[in-house]
Amino acid sequence: MRTIKKLAAIFLAIAVVASSAAIFAGIGPAVDLLASFEKEYEKNLFKAESNLLDVAETQRGSIANALDRK
């Protein structure tokens, strides 16, 4: 019985070390993935802001033309 407990404790220790190593190995790729999501988000945000500015410029021009005609 004592030998079984020792083997179970050793197996548990190996499992803990293996799972910890897997977690630490997965941190780097996870951070890289999050950074790529952030970069893509910022790129899309910049495009959206640029599009809004273009629309505002177009509307401003249309309003100015309409006022000039009156």
Side-chain angles (χ1 to χ4, degrees), residues 6-7 10-11 13-14 16 23-25 31 33 36 39 46-48 52-55 60 63-64 69:
K6 285 183 182 180
L7 288 174
I10 290 170
F11 178 73
I14 291 171
V16 168
I23 290 170
F24 286 122
V31 170
L33 181 63
S36 71
K39 185 176 180 181
F46 179 75
K47 283 182 182 178
L52 286 174
L53 288 174
D54 290 343
V55 168
R60 187 179 76 166
I63 292 170
R69 290 181 191 160

Side-chain angles (χ1 to χ4, degrees), residues 3-62:
T3 305
I4 294 174
K5 287 182 181 179
K6 285 183 182 180
L7 288 174
I10 290 170
F11 178 73
L12 180 61
I14 291 171
V16 168
V17 170
S19 64
S20 297
I23 290 170
F24 286 122
I27 288 175
V31 170
D32 292 340
L33 181 63
L34 287 174
S36 71
F37 286 157
E38 182 181 13
K39 185 176 180 181
E40 187 69 24
Y41 170 77
E42 289 176 357
K43 186 173 78 172
N44 288 333
L45 183 62
F46 179 75
K47 283 182 182 178
E49 289 174 350
S50 295
N51 290 340
L52 286 174
L53 288 174
D54 290 343
V55 168
E57 286 291 324
T58 302
Q59 287 179 349
R60 187 179 76 166
S62 298

